[in-house]
């Protein structure tokens, strides 16, 4: 379940959350006792597998806390654990003990078994007192009027043992209800934020993970760049260079014919050389276009997408809500990524129409490519979508695919782009979504 967004509904749902959290504090107390007992017997061999089992049980409990606290606060709390190695039990126990997240879980376990118990008990106690003394007069008049009251109302200085006397406790119940309504949620949210601090990854862990991601993206980018250079070298060697070498031989033969006073044959060879020169020039143009399409420099990203849509065999509509111009490297990456997705749609989607929507969300450029094909698109090693993800990873971009069987398919590319020239006029192409 998730916490309702409406403030009134959320406050009314909080007692259920508190009951759930209160039950977890009881489990925390049992796990804390088991961990202490296991720590005593861990010096014996029999205590090692028990220690591993207890530590893994604490992780399960901590993950349940992360999920519940995250749903209550509306945030995501990722698990900060490193992959567990496949090793002997004693090595696994040693690895779990050395894991920093284990001790943070244990700290939250001790806090939740004590402070968490008191916080949730206080919250539920105030709520229960408010409800109890508000409904007690009604229950004494209707349900328990002919029997001895089971309710305890003897405060020592006075015994509220009749319906009329219990009405004197209604103001006390209302005060507890106001306190519960006003400060109960704040108390639970404060305690939940304390849990986020201990259960979530530390700043050092987040930085390490980020550095790892950037290193992986850098290695992928370097690999793609090296592969692209090899492709250019191969295309030049097998294409334009071979044509230019043949052109040189042809011109040499024409020169020899001219020296032998055979102008007609020489003119024919010069004509062939002229055609070979045109073919070589066209190959070089195609090669340069693959490095950086001239349409990007001439018409910008939006114009390049529209040109791409006109050249595509399927009907493609472009909806441009992007204000400003993108940096050239990002523009080229977004262009080639979109082109790769359109190529995948042509090969696999069996679609009848495609729509491209480009817009900005704060400091991010979002490109959505939708088709009405058969669906089932997914990331596969070496596939087109995997290549798009690797290309955009160099710019800290992400790719998400929503493609149920039977379609439709929506591929969403998100690329950070803080540097955008807002002075460029906004171009929009209207289209009707399908």
């Amino acid at each position: 379940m998730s916490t309702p967004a409406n403030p009134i509904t959320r406050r009314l749902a909080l007692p259920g959350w508190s009951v759930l959290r209160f039950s977890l504090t009881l489990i925390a107390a049992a796990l804390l006792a088991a961990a202490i007992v296991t720590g005593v017997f861990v010096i014996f061999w029999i205590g090692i597998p028990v220690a591993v089992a207890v530590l893994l049980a604490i992780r399960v409990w901590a993950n349940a806390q992360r999920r519940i606290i995250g749903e209550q606060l509306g945030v995501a709390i990722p698990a900060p654990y490193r992959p567990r190695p496949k090793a002997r039990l004693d090595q696994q126990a040693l690895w779990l003990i050395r894991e920093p997240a284990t001790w943070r879980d244990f700290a939250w376990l001790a806090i939740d078994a004590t402070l968490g118990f008191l916080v949730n008990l206080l919250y539920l106690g105030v709520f229960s007192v408010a409800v109890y003394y508000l409904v007690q007069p009604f229950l004494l008049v209707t349900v328990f009027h002919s029997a001895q009251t089971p309710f305890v109302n003897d405060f020592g200085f006075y015994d509220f043992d009749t319906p009329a006397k219990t009405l004197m406790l209604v103001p006390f119940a209302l005060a507890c209800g106001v306190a519960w309504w006003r400060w109960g949620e704040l108390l639970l949210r404060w305690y939940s934020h304390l849990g986020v601090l201990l259960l979530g990854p530390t700043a050092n862990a987040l930085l390490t993970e980020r550095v790892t991601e950037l290193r992986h993206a850098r290695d992928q980018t370097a690999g793609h760049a090296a592969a692209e250079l090899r492709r250019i070298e191969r295309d030049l060697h097998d294409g334009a260079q071979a044509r230019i070498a043949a052109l040189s031989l042809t011109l040499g033969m024409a020169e020899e014919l001219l020296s032998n006073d055979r102008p007609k044959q020489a003119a024919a060879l010069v004509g062939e050389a002229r055609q070979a020169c045109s073919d070589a020039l066209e190959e070089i143009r195609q090669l340069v276009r693959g490095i950086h399409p001239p349409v990007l420099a001439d018409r910008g990203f939006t114009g390049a997408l529209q040109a791409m849509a006109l050249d595509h065999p399927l009907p493609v509509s472009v909806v441009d809500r992007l204000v400003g111009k993108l940096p050239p490297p990002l523009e080229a990456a977004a262009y080639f990524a979109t082109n790769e997705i359109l190529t995948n749609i042509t090969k696999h989607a069996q679609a009848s129409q495609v729509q491209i929507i480009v817009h900005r969300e704060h400091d991010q450029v979002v490109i959505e490519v939708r088709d009405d094909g058969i669906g089932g698109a997914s990331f596969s090693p070496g596939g087109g979508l995997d290549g798009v993800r690797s290309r955009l990873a160099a710019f800290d971009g992400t790719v998400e695919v929503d493609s149920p069987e039977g379609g439709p398919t929506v591929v969403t590319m998100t690329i950070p782009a803080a540097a955008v020239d807002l002075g460029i006029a906004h171009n929009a192409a209207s289209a009707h979504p399908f």
Side-chain angles (χ1 to χ4, degrees):
M1 62 179 180
S2 58
T3 304
N6 184 276
I8 297 177
T9 309
R10 186 176 63 247
R11 281 184 169 87
L12 294 177
L14 278 178
W17 284 98
S18 186
V19 169
L20 180 60
R21 296 289 300 277
F22 185 76
S23 64
L24 287 177
T25 64
L26 300 179
I27 298 175
L31 288 174
L32 182 62
I36 294 173
V37 173
T38 303
V40 175
F41 292 101
V42 77
I43 57 176
F44 305 104
W45 187 90
I46 191 63
I48 295 177
V50 177
V52 173
V54 170
L55 291 175
L56 293 179
I58 292 176
R59 285 197 172 189
V60 173
W61 172 86
N63 284 328
Q65 287 272 18
R66 290 185 182 94
R67 184 172 61 255
I68 293 172
I69 294 175
E71 290 179 355
Q72 187 175 359
L73 296 179
V75 298
I77 308 177
Y81 306 123
R82 294 177 298 177
R84 188 158 59 99
K86 295 181 179 179
R88 300 193 312 268
L89 282 176
D90 56 338
Q91 294 176 341
Q92 289 195 27
L94 186 61
W95 183 88
L96 287 170
I97 292 174
R98 290 176 175 175
E99 174 74 44
T102 299
W103 293 102
R104 293 168 64 85
D105 288 349
F106 191 81
W108 180 243
L109 186 75
I111 292 173
D112 200 53
T114 53
L115 181 61
F117 178 84
L118 296 177
V119 166
N120 288 280
L121 184 63
L122 175 62
Y123 177 86
L124 293 174
V126 173
F127 174 76
S128 301
V129 166
V131 174
Y132 171 71
Y133 286 115
L134 281 176
V135 302
Q136 188 186 30
F138 175 76
L139 293 176
L140 288 177
V141 171
T142 58
V143 180
F144 301 105
H145 64 280
S146 60
Q148 185 178 2
T149 174
F151 304 99
V152 178
N153 293 317
D154 188 358
F155 286 83
F157 61 88
Y158 193 79
D159 187 9
F160 300 89
D161 55 354
T162 66
K165 292 179 180 180
T166 57
L167 288 175
M168 299 171 62
L169 296 173
V170 170
F172 174 66
L174 291 175
C176 290
V178 171
W180 167 78
W181 186 268
R182 178 64 181 84
W183 294 294
E185 183 180 12
L186 295 178
L187 178 66
L188 292 184
R189 290 183 69 86
W190 166 81
Y191 184 68
S192 296
H193 281 293
L194 180 62
V196 173
L197 293 177
L198 281 175
L199 293 176
T202 62
N204 187 34
L206 290 174
L207 181 60
T208 302
E209 182 181 2
R210 183 65 183 143
V211 169
T212 302
E213 292 177 356
L214 291 177
R215 184 183 294 114
H216 181 66
R218 181 201 63 189
D219 293 341
Q220 283 188 326
T221 302
H224 284 299
E228 187 69 10
L229 288 175
R230 288 193 296 271
R231 182 190 68 83
I232 294 172
E233 181 183 7
R234 184 175 60 252
D235 290 348
L236 285 173
H237 181 272
D238 298 340
Q241 182 177 336
R243 288 184 180 275
I244 293 174
L247 173 63
S248 177
L249 292 176
T250 302
L251 290 176
M253 293 173 61
E255 182 183 14
E256 184 178 351
L257 290 173
L258 285 174
S259 63
N260 293 331
D261 197 18
R262 299 170 62 182
K264 290 185 179 181
Q265 291 85 347
L269 289 179
V270 169
E272 293 179 7
R274 182 172 178 273
Q275 182 61 41
C277 183
S278 298
D279 294 341
L281 182 61
E282 181 62 26
E283 281 197 14
I284 293 174
R285 285 174 178 170
Q286 293 290 339
L287 183 62
V288 172
R289 187 176 292 113
I291 299 173
H292 187 81
V295 68
L296 280 176
D298 297 339
R299 302 173 57 182
F301 182 61
T302 301
L305 287 183
Q306 292 170 345
M308 186 191 305
L310 292 175
D311 293 338
H312 200 268
L314 297 175
V316 179
S317 59
V318 178
V319 180
D320 175 31
R321 304 190 184 108
L322 182 65
V323 178
K325 183 175 177 58
L326 302 179
L330 188 149
E331 198 174 56
Y335 173 85
F336 284 116
T338 306
N339 188 38
E340 179 63 30
I341 292 175
L342 289 180
T343 301
N344 282 357
I345 292 174
T346 305
K347 292 180 178 178
H348 310 293
Q350 301 180 23
S352 61
Q353 53 184 332
V354 183
Q355 184 182 52
I356 303 174
I357 302 176
V358 186
H359 60 95
R360 279 198 61 158
E361 290 183 1
H362 306 293
D363 287 337
Q364 292 184 326
V365 174
V366 181
I367 306 171
E368 297 181 6
V369 183
R370 306 178 179 179
D371 69 77
D372 60 350
I374 59 176
S378 61
F379 294 100
S380 58
L385 290 175
D386 187 60
V388 170
R389 182 166 57 183
S390 299
R391 182 187 292 273
L392 297 186
F395 297 88
D396 203 17
T398 59
V399 182
E400 296 180 359
V401 179
D402 181 13
S403 182
E405 292 295 336
T409 297
V410 179
V411 179
T412 304
M413 296 175 286
T414 304
I415 314 170
V420 176
D421 183 10
L422 298 179
I424 306 298
H426 173 53
N427 282 328
S430 60
H432 299 285
F434 51 85

